[in-house]
């Protein structure tokens, strides 16, 4: 199976997801959050850095549960931000 490369929008959305998770994690260590979510620290590190811009739904759901985020919060934070040209 050949995977189609992600476009700029998907990559940008992955960066926004990583920023949200990092800021929500706050003072908690990556290790604590990853363990509680049932994922590896390396997976969390890659998601937070945008190196995994499209993590599996169940991974996102587990992180949301661990960080007390709703999926609606994630959807809103990762939605496409209108460009200034779009807003006029």
């Amino acid at each position: 199976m050949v995977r189609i490369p992600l476009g700029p929008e998907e990559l940008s959305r992955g960066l926004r997801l990583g920023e949200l998770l990092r800021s929500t994690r706050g003072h908690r260590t990556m290790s604590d959050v990853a363990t509680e979510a049932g994922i590896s620290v390396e997976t969390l590190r890659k998601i937070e850095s945008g190196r995994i811009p499209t993590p599996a739904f169940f991974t996102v759901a587990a992180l949301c549960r661990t960080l007390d985020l709703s999926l609606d919060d994630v959807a809103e934070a990762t939605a496409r931000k209108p460009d200034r040209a779009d807003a006029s």
Side-chain angles (χ1 to χ4, degrees):
M1 178 170 103
V2 176
R3 183 170 182 175
I4 298 170
L6 298 175
E9 178 54 32
E10 289 91 1
L11 295 173
S12 177
R13 189 171 43 240
L15 290 173
R16 291 191 300 271
L17 174 61
E19 290 170 12
L20 173 66
L21 295 176
R22 246 188 336 274
S23 67
T24 304
R25 181 168 55 83
H27 69 280
R28 296 175 68 183
T29 67
M30 284 183 138
S31 181
D32 289 344
V33 170
T35 299
E36 190 174 334
I39 63 173
S40 72
V41 175
E42 186 60 23
T43 296
L44 179 56
R45 180 177 291 113
K46 287 178 180 178
I47 293 170
E48 284 191 358
S49 69
R51 289 175 40 217
I52 299 178
T54 57
F57 172 79
F58 293 104
T59 300
V60 174
L63 287 166
C64 285
R65 184 190 69 245
T66 299
L67 296 171
D68 199 26
L69 276 172
S70 74
L71 290 172
D72 288 336
D73 293 336
V74 173
E76 183 177 321
T78 60
R80 181 176 180 269
K81 308 293 186 212
D83 295 332
R84 290 183 177 210
D86 293 344
S88 13

